[in-house]
Amino acid sequence: MLQSTATMHGVTTRWSRHAWAAIFILPAALIYGAFIFYPLVATVVWGFLEWNGTSAVSFAGFGNFRTLFTLYPFNTQLFSAVLHNIVFFLLSIIVQLLFGLILAVLLRARAKSRVFLQAIYTLPFMMSPIIVGYLWNLILNPIFGPVYEALHATGLGNLYAPWLGQSSTALVTLSLISSWQSIGLPMLLFYAALSTIPSEIYEAAKMDGCTGLQTFRWIILPLVAPTAAVLTLLTFVASFNLFDLPYAVGGVNGAPNGALDVAGLLFYRLAFTGTGNGLGVGSAMATMIGLILLAFTTALLWYRRLAERWV
């Protein structure tokens, strides 16, 4: 009898714990479902429907995807936008990994001013991309921008060019602006990775006669490689979610001449400024971008696990 009572009490206690856990998790689950899960599922479903403005009229199957890939001008705009996203990612990841690691190494050596430098470098990351875009539009303005004025005041005016206004330099300039804003995150992550390396390793390398460059190549780089993989994944996702910054710099059409046109801007034009079946084609494009992100994430995680097995 006593054992049965104790068992029932234990079951009641466990149920009570699960109930309280469910009560505390429920608000977060509702918010996630309303703002993340439902829009995600709805977008996939809408991509398979034929729309007349904002009203679904019939089931289209893969018709919206065929329109996106085969019908002009959707196919050319899609290829160009995705290519811009890929180029933006490659430029951003090179700059952020390189300078993020360099800044982290320098930050580790500056013990006295470390907190101040961390705050300075991470401050742009806390700003809205819309604000950053408008700010750099003013800074690089070819008429009254401070960069233009500074170069002319120092006799280097011939070096200036309207970098955001030329098709050949606009995307590179945008990636540099984005890297300037985001450099605080890789710096902090690399600094955290460097802080986990025991000092005995550096001392052993020094006793073995390793130079600073050799220590960086054979000790620091291999040990921060997992952090670099995480940053690569985050940068890739951010590059294909890009919308605010090119919208602030080049408008909804990705000016100049579509040089800043990315997948986010194309989706916006298709879904919200187009007519007829724009919402269906736009949803199909959003689904395709989601599949690209899923494939890249899966491939990177698989490669990382495979690399860990061989280490």
Side-chain angles (χ1 to χ4, degrees):
M1 185 68 178
L2 291 176
Q3 184 178 2
S4 177
T5 304
T7 302
M8 293 179 60
H9 178 72
V11 172
T12 303
T13 302
R14 286 194 297 271
W15 182 89
S16 178
R17 291 176 180 175
H18 292 315
W20 279 109
I23 291 174
F24 283 111
I25 292 174
L26 183 60
L30 291 176
I31 294 174
Y32 180 86
F35 293 100
I36 302 295
F37 184 75
Y38 171 75
L40 182 64
V41 174
T43 300
V44 175
V45 173
W46 293 351
F48 292 92
L49 300 178
E50 182 80 19
W51 292 78
N52 183 14
T54 57
S55 301
V57 294
S58 63
F59 179 72
F62 290 96
N64 292 326
F65 294 89
R66 285 195 297 269
T67 298
L68 191 62
F69 284 99
T70 62
L71 188 64
Y72 180 85
F74 302 115
N75 52 356
T76 57
Q77 291 179 353
L78 175 65
F79 175 79
S80 176
V82 172
L83 180 62
H84 290 162
N85 282 100
I86 294 174
V87 173
F88 181 90
F89 161 70
L90 294 176
L91 294 173
S92 299
I93 196 60
I94 291 173
V95 174
Q96 292 187 35
L97 289 183
L98 177 61
F99 287 94
L101 182 55
I102 292 175
L103 289 174
V105 173
L106 296 176
L107 189 66
R108 192 172 181 273
R110 300 296 298 269
K112 294 183 179 180
S113 56
R114 184 176 301 156
V115 176
F116 174 75
L117 293 175
Q118 285 177 338
I120 292 297
Y121 284 118
T122 55
L123 183 61
F125 185 72
M126 308 303 294
M127 298 172 61
S128 168
I130 290 288
I131 297 176
V132 171
Y134 285 128
L135 176 65
W136 278 97
N137 253 335
L138 295 175
I139 293 175
L140 299 177
N141 189 283
I143 299 176
F144 56 82
V147 173
Y148 172 82
E149 296 291 344
L151 289 176
H152 274 269
T154 55
L156 300 175
N158 59 332
L159 297 179
Y160 181 81
W163 296 294
L164 286 175
Q166 294 179 342
S167 301
S168 58
T169 58
L171 188 60
V172 177
T173 306
L174 187 75
S175 68
L176 292 176
I177 293 173
S178 177
S179 298
W180 169 84
Q181 182 189 10
S182 306
I183 196 66
L185 179 62
M187 182 196 69
L188 290 178
L189 292 181
F190 277 132
Y191 174 74
L194 291 174
S195 300
T196 61
I197 302 176
S199 59
E200 291 81 3
I201 296 180
Y202 294 107
E203 295 174 359
K206 187 175 180 180
M207 292 178 62
D208 289 339
C210 292
T211 63
L213 185 60
Q214 290 174 330
T215 302
F216 182 83
R217 168 64 181 86
W218 299 107
I219 295 179
I220 294 179
L221 283 182
L223 293 178
V224 301
T227 302
V230 172
L231 285 170
T232 301
L233 177 59
L234 294 176
T235 305
F236 186 84
V237 173
S239 298
F240 272 85
N241 285 330
L242 192 64
F243 175 81
D244 305 29
L245 192 58
Y247 178 80
V249 173
V252 70
N253 292 315
N257 300 322
L260 299 181
D261 193 20
V262 293
L265 291 178
L266 180 58
F267 164 74
Y268 180 83
R269 293 199 306 273
L270 290 175
F272 300 109
T273 64
T275 57
N277 192 33
L279 188 59
V281 178
S283 299
M285 179 179 176
T287 302
M288 185 202 68
I289 297 300
L291 292 176
I292 292 176
L293 293 176
L294 179 62
F296 182 84
T297 303
T298 303
L300 185 61
L301 293 177
W302 175 81
Y303 175 78
R304 183 180 177 183
R305 291 178 181 176
L306 186 64
E308 289 176 352
R309 292 180 182 178
W310 286 96
V311 173

